[in-house]
Amino acid sequence: MSEVYKSLSDPTRRYILEMLREREMSAGEIAERVSVSKPTLSGHLATLKAAGLVDVTRQGTTLIYRLNLSVLEEAVMSLMSAFRIGQDAPAPLPRATEDKA
């Protein structure tokens, strides 16, 4: 899961995921919309792929990227659970009773 959070920490990678939320895209289409060098973009895409956030298929010589929503959902649910978002507040601890002797 730490690879997923590392991947999500970069604004360029989050932007790529936002684009892929709309539709699958080729590496060339992504490159047209992201203002980084091709080697840098390749590194971002490799990081997203290693984290399981994107799936890649080859169509001839073209690589097609699509969002793997289940991994992203799992990361969000894990964060929500860690911070108890959407859960009932924990019961308060019982107060210590004082001895009145």
Side-chain angles (χ1 to χ4, degrees):
M1 190 61 60
S2 64
E3 279 188 69
V4 173
Y5 296 136
K6 177 187 170 197
S7 295
L8 294 173
S9 70
D10 185 272
T12 300
R13 290 192 287 265
R14 289 193 307 267
Y15 180 62
I16 292 168
L17 293 175
E18 286 177 33
M19 289 188 297
L20 294 176
R21 186 182 64 199
E22 299 300 319
R23 65 179 179 89
E24 61 185 36
M25 300 176 82
S26 70
E29 289 174 307
I30 295 169
E32 290 173 358
R33 297 177 63 184
V34 178
S35 58
V36 297
S37 69
K38 288 194 180 192
T40 300
L41 177 59
S42 180
H44 285 309
L45 292 171
T47 299
L48 291 169
K49 182 180 174 190
L53 288 165
V54 297
D55 293 319
V56 185
T57 55
R58 183 178 292 276
Q59 292 180 356
T61 59
T62 304
L63 294 176
I64 305 296
Y65 292 84
R66 73 182 48 81
L67 179 62
N68 185 350
L69 196 54
S70 62
V71 172
L72 187 58
E73 287 174 343
E74 184 180 330
V76 169
M77 294 303 291
S78 178
L79 273 176
M80 289 177 68
S81 177
F83 290 100
R84 295 185 176 146
I85 296 170
Q87 299 175 5
D88 291 333
L93 295 173
R95 298 182 81 169
T97 58
E98 295 180 24
D99 288 332
K100 298 195 179 199

